[in-house]
């Protein structure tokens, strides 16, 4: 088959798929929950990241490489090059998002020049391997991350080429030189192995798509097929850590390191789509289902183990030891988005929304300059604040930290926020689908012909009304589909034409489709029941038996100790001793959701004392100093 | 003060204490549950350990050191020397236990010779540091384990001197040379630091006691006092990992690495006793209380984190991720035993019993040649068997393994079993206390004068009758005290004199004291209610809310999938889907404890199906091939 190279300013552009993605030049988030985060990302987070990349010397490693100063002066972990590439990707999307920014453009080019200067004549690019005094190239496939780093380089080059096609900065040439080397070295007549950290697969697939190079996609397919046959060395955590235990097409569930597992699944889905491999597609869909049913937190977070940053077994979802790495959430969105483009099933967009609001939005502080690496669902002790100017040695701090020894999460959040508009809507021949809700403008040419322009206004998730006004539409019928989340058990969709009769109908979860010959001024309005909901866990999850969580719209709420109206017993231990009293309905207030509590019967003087508290959205926790917090709350037994 | 040097063939011999320990020449376990394990330990485990120490080259490291073959040929981790010392300690106790064994004596001396040959002229002894090409001595206090290894050397020398006083094998001289060096190097005018792994404190204290050297005890006290002031370098898991976050006398609870925490507490208790430091004693008693109430599994196991082998926060006790390292159980016994000798409080002996039956006895296989390193309370997947002849890279396997890369547990279990008789009974001036129940003979001279000899017969824990027959007794009144465990809510003690009238009385938990002028042939019989008991967890422990466990006497029982009478739904997942039906009382059978189950309402065809199963003692699980297992079982809600 031949790769088509349609230029869409979006991270994932399959040659063909059920849903066609839209680019950052076609969709703009204009405000609201996500718009604010995009603004902070551009104004605060990007400079913050560049500052730390310089300060820690990870960017300087490229300069040292260029002038022969390695290995002596090298700083950072073996994968630090990748943070520069993720940063470049974020900047590329940001330039695309704002429609050009000369200062940002200058910074981008300056970093690209430093990276390019470190590339060796044959295309090899890594500051950690291959020089005299360093371990030799490709000698540490399990832990060396060389291919992983290149995967991120490829994604950066793809972002740049899609947002600034034909730019003369040279990044695409750097990427293709490295990709050509990878294809040569890792062909079936070369090193028949894989990288300990999947990522090069998605990078090669998209680089293949953007440049029309079938060879890159073939190499991605080779990497996907090679995995799962015990190629990599066994170790304490087992080969499942890098998904080298079972071939992708034979596996039933995601397992091992949660970021690795999702990056691999995303890359495998790219391969399945480009090769029309339904067996591979079905295996991935099956893995997605079981992973979401049995190995995913209510927040959308994935990864139950701190030790190996890995999935646990089925039903192993401890709140207090939830690792739920920010990057695993982002990786899960990458996987789900590819499934959504292929299958047009709302459950994929539902999980993306859940993960965006409750994992990705949780990581950065409101200022955009401190981050959660792990996202626990139950913080038992207040913990210590990280100093603003100190690197955090701890991935699982109870407060956000400005930077980490392993600092994958900040640039990963940044590239996701900068490219977020690409996840809002898709098109089909004669249809347009809205998957995520935010104030936004959408303007594109439908694949089946005809310009369409929409304006979405909403205060979502604060309330549930999403109003889509038609600005321009073809003269023929078009189907406008709006996602109705699974939790929306009483949604309605209304068609309010500029002239004519309003039509209202109740809609169930999935996509509410309105097929009309639209005219400018027509409005389609979706009303979702954004009210407090009590969530009961699956009885097979031991860690949260006898508890409930409270959700409202797409947001999971939490009880934070600073929001207790009065003390219920031992202060340091207060959230271990409370129960939710469900004889009083959770009630919405301007501050959050008011609930009734009482203290547990633990043989203390305060047993059974009643109180109240206000729950706040989980993504906003830990913004008011050290505190304890829990998402799942024990339920009082009324027979006592 | 002056150290007295009473020679008692026991691991812990304070200069003075409320209870006086007895030695292996005074107490002999003659059979039963523990007698069988001691026999297997001597005949199978000790040769197994020596085989692996040779095979892995950890013993050979000493030969290399002696002939200048280091560092090139060195094998094993930085603490591998300590396994040889633990092995020597185990052999010393075993020789003492069996009253001499010429073959074992020869093996012991041969290993001592190889160790002694590696000692440097100034007393330094470690195969990992200090030679050209190695890191320099004491340069890696956080992770180097040099002092830790010496602590185990000291304990081995103490065991030898107490069981074979004045032996000419040379081990005691090796130990004192090293101890002298430690006192010189780590004095307050030397390196004012500590070892990342506490252990040298208990070693120095006991070496001081056995040799009458106050300086060793003073050095132990220095090490205890220095800890907790942030002396060691911070790292990802924080300084609490090696208890360097809070001074021992200020801490409220054990925290960080569970073995380290308990070894430190044991050493600190030695210091508190020898210096009469009631503040330190009280701090340790407080820490013990909160640790047992909030951070200890129903098995007595400690340590909730795999990542850092550490305690979790209060109430953080996941069953499926229970680490409960075997060595942490042993270390906890070391701490509790010292508290018991000081305070004569049955709760310490209760925890020792719980930990012996449910952690230490769980680790080795029935054959004594494979071990659990970690002791989970909930095994979710069957896992893989370790090959008999392969080292296990995984500490948390679902089946026992013959050896580990970090193989502290096998020799630690071995030295504990070999010295177990020392934990059975103690004496006071005119009293004798029986803390643990086993068929045994006890023969000693009371500190207040007068010979006493007892014979204990029992099938405990199979049944609850413990019969103590007087073989010899002084002509004056003596108080015979028998521990009544906390769980025994309907115990009786009977005095059945050789001539005269029987006396029976109900006794509550604590010590049942019978004061008599005993005559040969008199019998004191304790009857404990050894029947199935349903245990409800503290409501603050999230991980086991809505579950119960079943105990019988000192044994915790478990549900193992091989004991299900029929399948209840999806086989691979069966133990995630069952609930215990407590409308049917757990019932004792010859095979174990029969219980009624039903399958959970999870929306499957088998919902609510009833079945039965037989629970088996937790320590016997995983002896019948790979299986899944759980200790805490969800309870069916009868309102459904």
């Amino acid at each position: 088959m031949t790769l088509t190279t349609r230029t869409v300013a979006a991270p994932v552009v399959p040659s063909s798929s059920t849903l066609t993605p839209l680019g950052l030049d076609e969709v703009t988030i204009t405000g609201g929950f996500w718009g604010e985060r995009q603004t902070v990302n551009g104004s605060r987070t990007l400079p913050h990241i560049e500052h730390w990349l310089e300060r820690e010397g990870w960017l300087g490693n490229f300069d040292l490489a260029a002038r022969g100063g390695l290995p002596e002066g090298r700083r950072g972990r073996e994968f630090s090059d990748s943070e520069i590439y993720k940063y470049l990707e974020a900047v590329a999307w940001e330039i695309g998002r704002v429609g050009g920014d000369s200062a940002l453009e200058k910074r981008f080019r300056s970093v690209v020049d430093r990276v390019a200067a470190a590339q060796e004549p044959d295309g090899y690019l890594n500051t950690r391997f291959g020089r005299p005094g360093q371990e030799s190239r490709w000698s540490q496939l399990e832990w060396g991350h060389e291919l992983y780093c290149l995967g991120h380089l490829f994604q950066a080059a793809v972002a740049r080429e899609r947002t600034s096609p034909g730019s003369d900065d040279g990044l695409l040439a750097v990427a293709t030189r490295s990709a050509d080397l990878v294809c040569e070295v890792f062909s079936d007549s070369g090193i028949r192995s894989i990288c300990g950290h999947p990522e090069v697969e998605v990078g090669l697939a998209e680089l293949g798509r953007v440049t029309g190079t079938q060879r890159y996609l073939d190499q991605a397919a080779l990497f996907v097929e090679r995995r799962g046959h015990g190629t990599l060395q066994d170790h304490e955590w087992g080969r499942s850590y890098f998904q080298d235990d079972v071939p992708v097409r034979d596996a039933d569930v995601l397992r091992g390191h949660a970021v690795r597992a999702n990056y691999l699944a995303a890359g495998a889905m790219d391969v399945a789509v480009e090769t029309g491999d339904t067996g591979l597609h079905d295996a991935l869909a099956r893995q997605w289902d079981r992973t979401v049913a049995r190995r995913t937190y209510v927040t959308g977070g994935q990864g139950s183990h701190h030790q190996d940053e890995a999935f646990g077994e089925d039903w192993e979802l401890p709140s207090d030891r939830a690792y739920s790495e920010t990057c695993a959430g982002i990786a899960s969105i990458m996987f789900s988005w590819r499934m959504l483009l292929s299958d047009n099933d709302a459950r994929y967009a539902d999980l993306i929304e859940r993960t965006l609001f409750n994992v990705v939005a949780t990581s950065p502080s409101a200022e955009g300059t401190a981050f959660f690496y792990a996202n626990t669902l139950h913080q038992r002790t207040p913990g210590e604040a990280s100093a603003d100017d100190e690197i955090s040695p701890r991935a699982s701090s109870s407060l956000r930290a400005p930077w980490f020894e392993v600092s994958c999460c900040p640039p990963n959040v940044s590239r996701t926020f900068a490219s977020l508009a690409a996840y809002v809507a898709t098109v089909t021949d004669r249809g347009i689908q809205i998957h995520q809700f935010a104030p936004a403008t959408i303007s594109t040419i439908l694949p089946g012909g005809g310009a369409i322009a929409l304006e979405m206004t909403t205060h979502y998730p604060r309330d549930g009304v999403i109003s889509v006004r038609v600005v321009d539409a073809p003269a023929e019928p078009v189907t406008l589909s709006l996602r109705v989340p699974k939790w929306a058990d009483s949604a309605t969709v209304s068609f309010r034409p500029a002239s004519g009769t309003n039509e209202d109908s109740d809609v169930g979860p999935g996509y509410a489709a309105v097929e009309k010959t639209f005219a400018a001024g027509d409005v389609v309005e979706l009303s979702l029941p954004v009210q407090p909901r009590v969530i009961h866990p699956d009885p097979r999850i031991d860690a949260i038996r006898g508890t409930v969580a409270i959700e409202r719209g797409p947001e999971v709420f939490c009880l934070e100790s600073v929001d207790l109206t009065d003390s219920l017993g031992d202060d340091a231990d207060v959230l271990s001793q409370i129960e939710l009293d469900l004889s009083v309905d959770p009630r919405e207030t301007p501050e959050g959701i008011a609930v009734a509590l009482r203290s547990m019967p633990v043989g203390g003087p305060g047993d059974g004392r009643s109180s109240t508290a206000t729950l706040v959205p989980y993504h906003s926790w830990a913004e008011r100093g050290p505190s304890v917090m829990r998402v799942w709350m024990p339920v009082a037994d009324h027979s006592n």
Side-chain angles (χ1 to χ4, degrees), chain A:
Chain A
M1 66 172 297
T2 311
L3 282 171
T4 60
T5 58
R6 177 167 170 264
T7 299
V8 180
V12 186
V13 186
S15 306
S16 76
S17 57
T18 308
L19 303 179
T20 299
L22 299 180
L24 303 194
D25 51 344
E26 296 168 302
V27 183
T28 303
I29 298 174
T30 52
F33 187 97
W34 294 115
E36 285 166 25
R37 278 158 182 79
Q38 290 193 311
T39 303
V40 170
N41 183 52
S43 63
R44 304 293 305 275
T45 305
L46 282 175
H48 173 85
I49 293 170
E50 190 169 346
H51 165 77
W52 280 91
L53 292 176
E54 288 284 17
R55 173 187 151 144
E56 292 302 310
W58 303 354
L59 198 40
N61 288 337
F62 289 88
D63 308 333
L64 291 172
R67 64 167 188 263
L70 292 180
E72 294 72 24
R74 193 179 184 284
R75 293 173 62 191
R77 294 284 299 271
E78 61 275 25
F79 35 72
S80 68
D81 291 3
S82 74
E83 313 311 346
I84 282 79
Y85 305 146
K86 268 180 272 181
Y87 168 73
L88 283 176
E89 184 187 342
V91 173
W93 293 126
E94 182 65 8
I95 292 170
R97 184 183 79 83
V98 300
D101 175 323
S102 60
L104 205 49
E105 178 76 21
K106 198 169 152 198
R107 279 158 61 196
F108 180 86
R109 285 173 179 263
S110 152
V111 173
V112 168
D113 287 347
R114 293 162 73 182
V115 167
Q119 189 171 39
E120 298 185 39
D122 67 351
Y124 184 81
L125 181 52
N126 190 291
T127 67
R128 173 67 173 68
F129 289 91
R131 293 167 192 80
Q134 292 184 321
E135 289 164 290
S136 55
R137 290 180 183 184
W138 322 119
S139 62
Q140 295 288 335
L141 288 173
E142 283 82 2
W143 304 102
H145 289 78
E146 286 160 285
L147 290 166
Y148 164 86
C149 288
L150 292 178
H152 279 298
L153 170 71
F154 302 161
Q155 287 188 312
V158 166
R160 179 62 168 174
E161 181 61 14
R162 291 216 175 115
T163 50
S164 303
S167 168
D168 63 352
D169 57 74
L171 183 60
L172 186 63
V174 169
T176 54
R177 273 198 298 273
S178 284
D180 290 340
L181 180 72
V182 167
C183 293
E184 193 184 308
V185 171
F186 287 90
S187 75
D188 266 346
S189 53
I191 303 175
R192 301 178 67 151
S193 192
I194 51 177
C195 184
H197 198 315
E199 159 65 21
V200 74
E201 298 81 359
V202 278
L204 280 169
E206 223 61 52
L207 190 65
R209 287 164 169 170
V210 83
T211 61
T213 312
Q214 183 65 39
R215 185 186 185 197
Y216 300 160
L217 195 88
D218 293 344
Q219 186 64 44
L222 264 184
F223 282 137
V224 168
E225 294 300 340
R226 277 181 195 158
R227 196 170 296 264
H229 300 282
T231 305
L232 301 174
Q233 182 100 40
D234 195 12
H235 61 105
E236 185 183 349
W237 306 325
R239 286 202 179 88
S240 62
Y241 175 78
F242 21 59
Q243 295 76 46
D244 194 29
D245 54 338
V246 180
V248 178
R249 63 178 69 247
D250 298 335
D252 291 319
V253 68
L254 298 191
R255 67 230 171 273
H257 190 268
V259 178
R260 284 169 166 81
N262 277 290
Y263 280 178
L264 175 65
M269 192 60 203
D270 286 334
V271 168
V273 164
E274 295 300 333
T275 58
D277 187 335
T278 53
L280 187 55
H281 164 278
D282 294 351
L284 291 162
R286 183 175 73 228
Q287 292 167 40
W288 191 96
D289 281 347
R290 180 162 151 190
T291 302
V292 173
R294 301 185 174 207
R295 301 186 174 194
T296 302
Y297 286 98
V298 68
T299 54
Q302 296 182 344
S304 309
H305 291 186
H306 281 241
Q307 185 178 38
D308 46 358
E309 304 186 311
F311 284 101
E313 302 293 339
D314 287 355
W315 316 119
E316 185 187 327
L317 293 163
S319 291
D320 49 9
R321 294 291 282 175
Y323 197 66
S324 180
E325 184 181 338
T326 301
C327 289
I330 290 167
S332 152
I333 291 170
M334 288 167 58
F335 178 27
S336 292
W337 178 246
R338 285 159 175 80
M339 294 304 301
L340 179 64
L341 290 180
S342 163
D343 290 15
N344 189 19
D345 187 324
R347 63 190 169 153
Y348 299 119
D350 279 358
L351 183 68
I352 290 172
E353 175 177 69
R354 183 170 288 274
T355 309
L356 279 173
F357 274 103
N358 301 296
V359 178
V360 185
T362 307
S363 174
S365 64
E367 292 77 22
T369 54
F371 302 84
F372 278 130
Y373 186 113
N375 296 279
T376 187
L377 276 74
H378 183 179
Q379 182 68 37
R380 292 184 179 274
T381 53
E384 300 158 43
S386 291
D388 280 352
D389 59 347
E390 271 180 34
I391 199 163
S392 172
R394 280 176 270 286
S396 48
S397 169
S398 65
L399 288 168
R400 296 172 181 87
W403 203 249
F404 305 91
E405 278 183 22
V406 178
S407 218
C408 40
C409 296
N412 222 348
V413 169
S414 187
R415 68 174 182 151
T416 305
F417 280 173
S419 60
L420 202 60
Y423 300 89
V424 168
T426 57
V427 291
T428 50
D429 268 7
R430 305 223 53 82
I432 185 159
Q433 302 80 36
I434 296 188
H435 306 288
Q436 305 300 337
F437 308 123
T441 56
I442 304 169
S443 174
T444 188
I445 309 294
L446 291 178
I452 187 161
L454 306 174
E455 184 177 2
M456 175 159 49
T457 53
T458 181
H459 297 290
Y460 192 81
R462 192 73 203 144
D463 78 30
V465 179
I466 297 113
S467 181
V468 179
R469 193 170 62 85
V470 176
V471 177
D472 189 14
E476 305 81 38
V478 165
T479 304
L480 170 58
S481 301
L482 288 149
R483 180 175 59 94
V484 179
K486 187 80 184 298
W487 49 259
D489 51 5
S490 60
T492 57
V493 68
S494 307
F495 175 59
R496 298 182 184 166
S499 64
T501 316
N502 289 0
E503 298 167 22
D504 299 321
S505 45
D506 294 343
V507 288
Y511 286 94
V514 178
E515 188 183 4
K516 298 284 172 191
T517 303
F518 290 105
D522 288 355
V523 171
V524 175
E525 191 172 279
L526 178 66
S527 290
L528 300 173
V530 170
Q531 286 129 21
R533 301 187 305 278
V534 177
I535 307 298
H536 294 269
D538 189 295
R540 289 165 288 194
I541 307 174
D542 293 282
I544 50 176
R545 184 172 291 120
T547 69
V548 299
I550 308 288
E551 294 182 354
R552 187 182 162 286
E555 295 173 303
V556 174
F557 277 64
C558 70
L559 175 56
E560 203 177 351
S561 52
V562 294
D563 293 312
L564 290 171
T565 50
D566 60 321
S567 167
L568 288 171
D570 175 5
D571 274 357
D573 202 30
V574 61
L575 288 198
S576 299
Q577 302 185 9
I578 58 91
E579 295 177 321
L580 199 62
D581 182 354
L582 285 178
S583 68
V584 181
D585 280 336
R587 182 176 49 85
E588 190 147 7
T589 73
E591 291 75 34
I593 297 174
V595 293
L597 302 175
R598 66 179 203 187
S599 58
M600 278 184 182
V602 292
D607 284 10
R609 196 136 54 102
S610 293
S611 184
T612 58
T614 300
L615 309 184
V616 296
Y618 172 70
H619 58 71
S620 72
W621 92 275
E623 290 278 9
R624 294 167 292 168
S627 63
V628 294
M629 178 278 296
R630 62 187 306 160
V631 167
W632 292 99
M633 291 160 284
V635 184
D637 176 356
H638 297 291
S639 64
N640 283 346

